[in-house]
Amino acid sequence: MGGYVDTMNSIGDSILNWADSERKFRGYTEGWPLTDFSTAATIAIAYVTFVVVGSTVMKAGVPAMDPYPLKFIYNVSQIMLCAYMTIEAGLLAYRNGYTLLPCNDYNTSNPPVANLLWMFYASKVWDFWDTIFIVLGKKWKQLSFLHVYHHTTIFLFYWLNSHVNYDGDIYLTIVLNGFIHTVMYTYYFICMHTKVPETGKSLPIWWKSSLTMMQMIQFVTMMSQASYLVCTQCEKTSIRVVLAYFVYILSLLFLFAQFYIKSYTKPKKKKTV
């Protein structure tokens, strides 16, 4: 076990040395819970293992389950948590003079956003319950590559952010993503209470497609921020992390756009003569 931990932490150190070779941005959050790469990697591996093993077990004949009380508590907790993080990030930005124009100050000795950024990172573990409910409910259409990729990689990327990108411009990501997730879990909560008794399926909600569009607008905004930071060669952030962030968000934009087209864009029917 010790060898595994050492190997994983060595990989983590290599990633951090690549992201911030001069140690200009990291140090403040070292030693915080979940910041060891061995811990983050183990959580990510456990998550993917659950997806594979859990799906296999449920497909072997185990009946679908709908733990309503747990889902009720979970969705309400997510709405409250995400709304709090959105508001808190906005207030922190206002109090510290951050602007929408990127390249805000980055404080390594007393970072205003660090505690909230860590909470945002830790909340990505709480998000894994989305997948647990999908597997238990045997909703295989929802268990897509996009779903698993998104949940796994966003958690690992925020492990990186918790070390080298925990202040300054990162506040905007928390505002945007926190708001989107507040709306998303509100949608899930509504779906729980608009089911047809005969079929158990939720009634169609007219703004469902708008939620996906909002997510894509969020990605474009994040990529615009990253582009500005790179083009201006902002020295208040790690340009390497920003470039990796841009490519990662681009991959999400592509996958979400693909999902949007597949789910909401119906092919035109050929007219019969």
Side-chain angles (χ1 to χ4, degrees):
M1 187 65 182
Y4 165 80
V5 171
D6 291 341
T7 299
M8 286 300 175
N9 284 333
S10 177
I11 293 172
D13 288 340
S14 297
I15 295 171
L16 293 177
N17 287 331
W18 168 84
D20 182 23
S21 58
E22 298 179 1
R23 298 186 67 90
K24 289 173 60 179
F25 305 105
R26 55 186 163 133
Y28 185 83
T29 58
E30 286 184 8
W32 288 21
L34 302 180
T35 57
D36 288 342
F37 188 69
S38 58
T39 303
T42 300
I43 291 172
I45 291 170
Y47 169 73
V48 175
T49 301
F50 169 80
V51 171
V52 175
V53 175
S55 300
T56 303
V57 171
M58 294 304 293
K59 288 178 179 179
V62 178
M65 291 176 265
D66 183 22
Y68 175 85
L70 282 177
K71 289 170 71 175
F72 184 98
I73 295 170
Y74 172 70
N75 284 314
V76 171
S77 72
Q78 284 282 31
I79 293 168
M80 294 175 67
L81 175 62
C82 294
Y84 164 74
M85 291 190 294
T86 303
I87 296 169
E88 182 67 11
L91 290 174
L92 284 171
Y94 175 75
R95 291 168 187 158
N96 292 278
Y98 295 162
T99 65
L100 289 175
L101 191 68
C103 206
N104 287 287
D105 289 338
Y106 189 101
N107 191 329
T108 56
S109 59
N110 187 28
V113 186
N115 289 332
L116 182 62
L117 187 280
W118 182 89
M119 177 184 287
F120 186 77
Y121 162 54
S123 75
K124 298 307 171 188
V125 179
W126 191 235
D127 290 353
F128 290 158
W129 276 98
D130 291 342
T131 310
I132 294 173
F133 292 136
I134 287 173
V135 172
L136 291 178
K138 303 177 75 169
K139 298 177 180 179
W140 306 125
K141 286 185 178 180
Q142 296 179 24
L143 194 67
S144 61
F145 171 78
L146 167 59
H147 178 89
V148 178
Y149 171 78
H150 183 205
H151 278 265
T152 307
T153 54
I154 197 70
F155 168 70
L156 291 174
F157 207 103
Y158 272 87
W159 166 81
L160 177 61
N161 280 339
S162 72
H163 280 277
V164 299
N165 197 18
Y166 49 79
D167 197 38
D169 293 308
I170 198 68
Y171 88 89
L172 184 62
T173 296
I174 302 174
V175 170
L176 293 172
N177 196 254
F179 173 73
I180 294 295
H181 278 73
T182 302
V183 177
M184 184 178 75
Y185 286 106
T186 300
Y187 167 79
Y188 290 158
F189 187 79
I190 293 171
C191 286
M192 287 177 59
H193 301 95
T194 54
K195 292 184 177 180
V196 179
E198 293 76 16
T199 63
K201 294 183 178 180
S202 299
L203 292 169
I205 298 174
W206 65 269
W207 50 274
K208 180 180 179 181
S209 61
S210 299
L211 179 56
T212 307
M213 183 60 71
M214 288 169 61
Q215 289 173 313
M216 291 191 290
I217 293 172
Q218 168 199 206
F219 297 143
V220 172
T221 305
M222 291 174 174
M223 289 168 60
S224 299
Q225 182 195 53
S227 298
Y228 182 92
L229 291 169
V230 173
C231 291
T232 58
Q233 288 295 294
C234 177
E235 296 183 355
K236 298 175 182 178
T237 189
S238 168
I239 294 300
R240 287 184 174 181
V241 173
V242 172
L243 284 169
Y245 178 75
F246 179 91
V247 173
Y248 172 60
I249 297 300
L250 180 62
S251 72
L252 290 180
L253 177 61
F254 173 80
L255 291 170
F256 272 79
Q258 190 178 50
F259 168 78
Y260 185 90
I261 293 170
K262 183 179 178 181
S263 301
Y264 307 118
T265 306
K266 297 180 180 179
K268 295 181 180 180
K269 294 181 180 179
K270 294 183 179 179
K271 293 182 179 180
T272 55
V273 181

